[in-house]
Amino acid sequence: MLGSLLCLLAGCGGWLMVAIRRRRNFDALLAVGLAVAGCYACETLPEGYGWSQELSLILLAWVAFLGGSMATRAGRHIQVDALSRAVPRKYQPWTRAIGLLLTTVFCAYLTWLAYHHVFGPLGDYSSGEIRPATRLPAWIIILSALVSFGLMTVRFGAYTADAFANPKATEQELVH
């Protein structure tokens, strides 16, 4: 265990020095964060590899939800355009705005559900449940949905405000 910890700290320390020398503040911050998270993991995770499957599923949830949020930012989110094909062309800007509004409301609802699942009176945070293999709090898993849908709500809210403020027909067709 000590060897792994020393190897982690040496690697993060080297990365930190290079980041400082090249004036890459984000890389430096990431190196410090990785060192702290690694030290925490080395001290709390049990011996052996039984915890790795549980940890990989937790990380998969985070990657999937944050990936969805990033797709929203990049404009690569799922769009349903069936309604826009049925509506006359002059009303299409408003169908886009209304569709974005409905998407914003839905994302806000999912954010609210995730919040109550984590921090509600019977939520994972107040129950104090600990995952058996990793000894991590259970609320860490659903927190990924809360963060991601919160970001998506803000992004879609901004897209919605823009769509109502500047109504215009979408120039791009969806390619499947």
Side-chain angles (χ1 to χ4, degrees):
M1 187 67 92
L2 181 62
S4 299
L5 186 60
L6 290 175
C7 191
L8 169 78
L9 291 176
C12 288
W15 186 20
L16 178 63
M17 290 176 64
V18 169
I20 290 171
R21 204 173 317 124
R22 293 184 180 172
R23 295 187 178 155
R24 293 186 174 174
N25 297 334
F26 181 74
D27 287 359
L29 185 64
L30 201 56
V32 171
L34 185 61
V36 169
C39 289
Y40 174 78
C42 286
E43 294 299 317
T44 58
L45 292 175
E47 295 285 332
Y49 294 104
W51 53 268
S52 63
Q53 182 180 11
E54 187 172 287
L55 181 62
S56 65
L57 290 174
I58 292 169
L59 293 175
L60 177 65
W62 274 92
V63 167
F65 281 117
L66 289 177
S69 176
M70 290 169 56
T72 302
R73 182 176 184 265
R76 303 246 183 235
H77 50 84
I78 296 173
Q79 297 179 10
V80 180
D81 66 339
L83 183 61
S84 66
R85 294 174 192 255
V87 173
R89 182 119 175 105
K90 68 178 184 176
Y91 296 118
Q92 284 183 1
W94 300 110
T95 59
R96 177 178 169 267
I98 291 169
L100 285 168
L101 177 64
L102 291 173
T103 304
T104 303
V105 169
F106 183 69
C107 286
Y109 175 67
L110 290 175
T111 303
W112 180 79
L113 284 178
Y115 177 83
H116 280 282
H117 186 85
V118 175
F119 297 113
L122 300 173
D124 289 341
Y125 185 79
S126 62
S127 75
E129 179 186 347
I130 302 293
R131 300 297 309 153
T134 57
R135 295 189 211 140
L136 291 172
W139 58 268
I140 291 283
I141 301 167
I142 302 300
L143 184 66
S144 63
L146 176 62
V147 169
S148 297
F149 281 115
L151 289 171
M152 289 169 72
T153 300
V154 170
R155 287 182 181 134
F156 277 121
Y159 294 152
T160 301
D162 181 59
F164 278 109
N166 304 309
K168 58 184 180 223
T170 56
E171 289 86 23
Q172 67 182 37
E173 283 284 322
L174 293 179
V175 180
H176 301 283

